[in-house]
Amino acid sequence: MERENPATAESLDPIEGDTEADVEDALALADEVYPAWSERRLEERRQLLNDAAEVLRENAEEYAELMAREMGKPIAGGRSEVEKCAWVCEHYAEYAETYLADEVLQSAPEAKAFVSSEPLGPVLAVMPWNYPFWQVFRFAAPNLVAGNVGLLKHASNVPGCAQAIEEVFLEAGLPEGAFQSLLVGSDAIEDVVTDKRIRGVTLTGSESAGRAVAETAGKELKPSVLELGGSDPFVVLDDADVETAAEVGMQARTLNSGQSCIAAKRFIVHDAVYDEFVSAFVDEMAAQDIGDPTDDDTDIGPQAREDLMEDLHEQVTETLDAGATLETGGEPLDREGYFYPPTVVTDVPRDSTMATDEVFGPAAAVFRVESEDEAVELANDSTYGLGGSVWTEDLERGERVARRVESGCVFVNELTKSDPRIPFGGVKNSGYGRELSEHGMKEFLNEKTVWVQSAADQ
């Protein structure tokens, strides 16, 4: 599998991909290992997750450097990502017993009824490059501790990350086959999804990839979870703390060099604070340091591939051609690698590219609205519904507006984020199903109803 350092445009050593025979061997091993793994004491699986957290922390610098080389993540962000992966392992190690406990139901007086949460078997995860460790661990931790086994088809530009993740679990002491990486292209996935040994599939990625996987899984009557694109609204109301909203808004747009499905992308600002917000927001965006992702002082690294940078620039250009105003940025940087500066565009026509499409890079579209109702209407005027953020000093008002936003999650006075303690996922073209917390853990479990009654009571 060919690799390229997006900060230098230099080729990295290729990594040998898996053959059809390798994939068959992996499926056979997963099927073989699953019964014994699912029957191991929960306490043992919990301890192994804690051990995986230790492995992650011990090798955090190595993994952060690997992410920087393969997809350009700034080194500080890579370290934070590894720590978050350790956290999700520890979270499920701590709470698995509670999440998996039988749920007692109402029943006849002479009987008892409960729901037992039981694993399904091997589950396939199709994961993206932008958070190459976190996206995988938020799938792996709950599924492994629940007794499922995992197979990972990672993005083709981060095969080193895929190998490293498999090694984390092996070094932690999980049996060979409990978690495996399949180093294959996207063209091999349909056959894996349809294989009878695969019991479910989860995908984080593009809308087109999600539709293809969902169609295949649906034909096979297999459960699926899709976390797809987003065009998240960042709503700044007239009573917001504008300075804080501008600072956090910059972070929400530029995290991971802007390459995040839950990044704030459409900034919807009340007329009463519009000028103040735009001024502060542009200053925050323009102040970010762009450079070598291995440098601790770098805020913004390269875009992960040249074609992605070109697509981003095309979206900005089309929006400006439609009548928008450029406040800062707007041109690829003239240097080695695929660097695009933080960009702010105002006066954005509501039918233009940056208003309607997902913008996967550090470019923000800012809209002026006259009222709370108009802000909500514009926030919901999207085919996506992943996350959202609302800014107001009135917390009751914030909760009321949050309830009106059509998305899988909304944060009041905070940027949208995924957190092991709360469910994460979208609606509309952003997908379906949930990850994380108890809700996400149970997507690939059999919620079995058990009714127990003495024959004498018949």
Side-chain angles (χ1 to χ4, degrees):
M1 306 187 82
E2 301 297 330
R3 300 185 296 164
E4 183 182 53
N5 185 331
T8 63
E10 295 175 346
S11 296
L12 302 171
D13 291 338
I15 291 178
E16 186 175 355
D18 287 333
T19 65
E20 289 185 13
D22 293 329
V23 173
E24 169 56 33
D25 288 345
L27 289 166
L29 181 58
D31 190 51
E32 177 185 342
V33 168
Y34 165 67
W37 175 248
S38 64
E39 291 170 6
R40 287 183 75 159
R41 293 174 55 246
L42 176 59
E43 182 57 38
E44 294 179 11
R45 298 198 300 265
R46 292 169 60 196
Q47 182 56 54
L48 288 169
L49 274 194
N50 278 324
D51 293 344
E54 290 187 14
V55 174
L56 283 161
R57 292 196 174 101
E58 289 170 359
N59 299 284
E61 197 66 20
E62 174 189 339
Y63 301 147
E65 290 173 358
L66 176 59
M67 286 185 268
R69 287 196 305 273
E70 286 198 324
M71 52 73 61
K73 187 182 295 291
I75 195 76
R79 295 188 192 108
S80 297
E81 182 168 337
V82 175
E83 176 58 32
K84 193 170 184 179
C85 294
W87 177 28
V88 78
C89 288
E90 291 175 337
H91 175 83
Y92 280 104
E94 180 177 358
Y95 290 101
E97 187 172 12
T98 300
Y99 291 164
L100 296 172
D102 292 343
E103 178 187 355
V104 178
L105 306 174
Q106 297 183 44
S107 64
E110 67 277 5
K112 71 174 182 179
F114 59 92
V115 173
S116 173
S117 298
E118 301 175 1
L120 294 178
V123 180
L124 173 68
V126 183
M127 291 290 126
W129 50 263
N130 57 331
Y131 286 90
F133 271 67
W134 169 243
Q135 302 276 15
V136 177
F137 273 88
R138 76 184 191 189
F139 152 76
N143 277 282
L144 289 172
V145 79
N148 289 322
V149 299
L151 295 105
L152 167 66
K153 189 285 177 202
H154 218 325
S156 296
N157 59 330
V158 289
C161 291
Q163 289 182 325
I165 293 167
E166 182 175 348
E167 290 166 3
V168 167
F169 289 118
L170 290 172
E171 188 174 338
L174 276 75
E176 186 177 357
F179 186 90
Q180 302 175 80
S181 290
L182 306 178
L183 299 183
V184 296
S186 299
D187 55 347
I189 290 307
E190 183 173 0
D191 288 342
V192 178
V193 175
T194 58
D195 190 284
K196 65 180 181 181
R197 291 163 292 193
I198 293 294
R199 300 297 301 276
V201 58
T202 180
L203 176 142
T204 298
S206 68
E207 183 182 336
S208 59
R211 290 181 183 276
V213 166
E215 180 179 9
T216 302
K219 289 179 180 178
E220 299 296 320
L221 298 180
K222 295 179 181 180
S224 60
V225 170
L226 303 180
E227 195 266 276
L228 308 179
S231 187
D232 287 5
F234 189 97
V235 178
V236 182
L237 297 175
D238 54 310
D239 62 346
D241 178 339
V242 174
E243 182 177 348
T244 302
E247 180 182 357
V248 178
M250 174 276 295
Q251 297 169 1
R253 178 59 279 196
T254 62
L255 278 171
N256 200 38
S257 306
Q259 300 167 118
S260 172
C261 53
I262 54 171
K265 292 164 185 165
R266 295 178 297 133
F267 290 78
I268 300 168
V269 186
H270 194 286
D271 178 67
V273 295
Y274 180 87
D275 292 337
E276 181 185 0
F277 176 84
V278 169
S279 177
F281 183 53
V282 169
D283 288 346
E284 292 280 357
M285 292 282 278
Q288 297 305 290
D289 290 327
I290 309 165
D292 183 352
T294 63
D295 188 333
D296 282 325
D297 294 328
T298 293
D299 298 312
I300 308 292
Q303 301 301 282
R305 299 194 311 262
E306 183 177 18
D307 63 306
L308 297 173
M309 183 189 71
E310 292 171 347
D311 289 345
L312 172 63
H313 184 52
E314 182 178 355
Q315 290 176 310
V316 172
T317 301
E318 288 177 353
T319 303
L320 294 175
D321 289 345
T325 301
L326 180 67
E327 303 290 345
T328 189
E331 289 285 345
L333 299 186
D334 185 16
R335 62 169 71 170
E336 294 291 335
Y338 312 129
F339 291 90
Y340 203 87
T343 296
V344 179
V345 176
T346 58
D347 305 317
V348 178
R350 297 190 184 183
D351 60 352
S352 64
T353 301
M354 291 181 69
T356 59
D357 295 356
E358 179 178 27
V359 178
F360 216 69
V366 186
F367 303 83
R368 186 195 300 261
V369 293
E370 302 292 334
S371 66
E372 176 184 310
D373 286 344
E374 186 183 0
V376 172
E377 180 183 3
L378 181 54
N380 292 337
D381 186 19
S382 173
T383 60
Y384 296 105
L386 190 54
S389 184
V390 176
W391 289 79
T392 173
E393 293 283 77
D394 184 340
L395 298 187
E396 290 186 2
R397 183 188 191 191
E399 182 176 331
R400 182 180 69 246
V401 172
R403 290 179 180 275
R404 297 176 65 192
V405 175
E406 298 168 352
S407 65
C409 56
V410 182
F411 290 73
V412 178
N413 298 331
E414 175 62 295
L415 56 81
T416 304
K417 57 187 177 182
S418 57
D419 181 312
R421 298 166 294 187
I422 56 178
F424 177 79
V427 295
K428 299 194 282 190
N429 287 358
S430 291
Y432 55 75
R434 293 295 177 264
E435 297 177 285
L436 300 174
S437 78
E438 180 178 355
H439 297 75
M441 187 181 207
K442 292 185 173 179
E443 290 285 358
F444 296 109
L445 297 179
N446 176 17
E447 295 290 277
K448 180 192 291 182
T449 298
V450 179
W451 179 287
V452 182
Q453 181 171 319
S454 170
D457 293 323
Q458 293 295 324

